[in-house]
Every structure is written in structure tokens, then in C-alpha cells.
Amino acid sequence: VEWDLFPYDEFQRRRLTVLYTAGARASRYADRTWYGKDAETRPLHSLDATFNTRQLWGDVRLSVQGEQDLGELDSYRAGVNGRADLNFGRHVSLSLEGGASRDRSQRSQPRGILSDDQILRLQAIQFREYRVFAQVGLTYRFGAIYNAIVNPRFESLQLSAF
């Protein structure tokens, strides 16, 4: 089920969509998991809400996602992500991106040669973990302003510094 707050004719300029899905996931694992499984089918449901806006000054995107195993309610994944691209004139833009997530659905972790006690300790550590990221980028576009494609060799060029 998908729902959009704004009318369809405004879809390119702004949108707030909410998507709910329910179903099952069939998984076949390369190695036996922490739970002693080689394959399994689990019922799950998910929710994804996304807001996008495109303005003259730039673009903003914010999304919230969540997925939960209906067989084990404490098994879930949840996250929030955001991105803003701010335009400074025709050629220069600043990108800010960040997010956070938590994954308590470690069903596919391979067992390997670990003992039951080692697995329980690893599960306790992983179930407390969060992931957080942030990224800043500066883009300069060069070439003729009337060309749709200036030079396709540079489309995927990205420089990062940490």
C-alpha cells in the first residue's frame, strides 16, 4: 500500500510518500547461521516514509525505514537518512548527507566454528550497536549550460576526504 500526501502533478517538485508492505522473505544461506539454519522463510512487514522537495536553491530528501520480523517481534531493522544539495549559482553545489540505523535482525550471520557461548556474546554486542554516518561533498559542474550531457566520462567522478 502506497500513499502520497501531495497531488500527482506536484510529484517532480515535492512529495511525501508512505509505503507499507507485508509478506514473506525466503532466504538460503551459504553457511549455517548462528541459529542453525541453512534456509528459512520468515513473515515480515515494512514501512518506508520519504519526503522529497526540489526547489531553486536545491534538493532535500529525508526518509525513515523500518522492517520487522512478524515471527520474532524483537527482530527488526530501522533507519533514518537525509540528504540536502544546496545550489550556489549555476555550477557549484554543496551536498550534506547523513543517517543512522539499527539492525537487530542478524539472522544470516554464519556460525563458523563458534561455540554457543561465543555466539550469545556476539549477539548481545551486535544487538546494542547503531550505525551513524555523515558525508559532505562539493560539486562543480563545468561545460555548456545548454547541453544535457557535457562529458559522460565525468558523471561518476567523486572525490571524498575523511
Side-chain angles (χ1 to χ4, degrees):
V1 176
E2 183 178 60
W3 173 78
D4 194 345
L5 175 68
F6 301 110
Y8 184 74
D9 60 341
E10 296 182 27
F11 190 78
Q12 290 297 322
R13 193 169 54 89
R14 65 180 179 163
R15 61 185 175 262
L16 172 62
T17 56
V18 179
L19 175 65
Y20 174 79
T21 59
R25 176 177 293 138
S27 302
R28 185 177 307 277
Y29 306 115
D31 297 316
R32 188 164 294 234
T33 67
W34 284 355
Y35 300 96
K37 304 280 186 177
D38 294 317
E40 64 183 337
T41 301
R42 311 272 314 162
L44 58 89
H45 67 152
S46 66
L47 182 69
D48 184 350
T50 304
F51 173 74
N52 287 346
T53 185
R54 176 170 285 174
Q55 304 293 328
L56 289 175
W57 49 264
D59 304 331
V60 173
R61 180 176 195 273
L62 180 64
S63 66
V64 177
Q65 309 92 20
E67 179 180 280
Q68 184 179 37
D69 187 326
L70 293 171
E72 282 182 48
L73 297 180
D74 62 344
S75 177
Y76 64 87
R77 283 187 275 200
V80 60
N81 296 298
R83 179 180 176 106
D85 294 309
L86 308 172
N87 298 328
F88 297 105
R90 290 183 189 230
H91 302 289
V92 179
S93 64
L94 177 68
S95 298
L96 306 168
E97 188 171 1
S101 65
R102 185 169 190 188
D103 188 350
R104 289 195 52 147
S105 62
Q106 303 290 328
R107 300 203 56 85
S108 63
Q109 293 293 329
R111 181 176 185 89
I113 59 169
L114 299 174
S115 70
D116 290 341
D117 290 337
Q118 290 171 320
I119 289 173
L120 288 173
R121 280 195 295 267
L122 286 171
Q123 285 175 337
I125 292 169
Q126 285 196 340
F127 286 161
R128 290 191 306 256
E129 284 185 351
Y130 293 88
R131 287 194 184 129
V132 177
F133 79 94
Q135 183 174 345
V136 176
L138 185 63
T139 302
Y140 178 77
R141 290 182 191 85
F142 55 94
I145 62 172
Y146 299 109
N147 288 348
I149 298 175
V150 175
N151 189 340
R153 293 178 299 188
F154 296 117
E155 283 181 358
S156 63
L157 179 64
Q158 188 174 29
L159 302 174
S160 298
F162 296 96

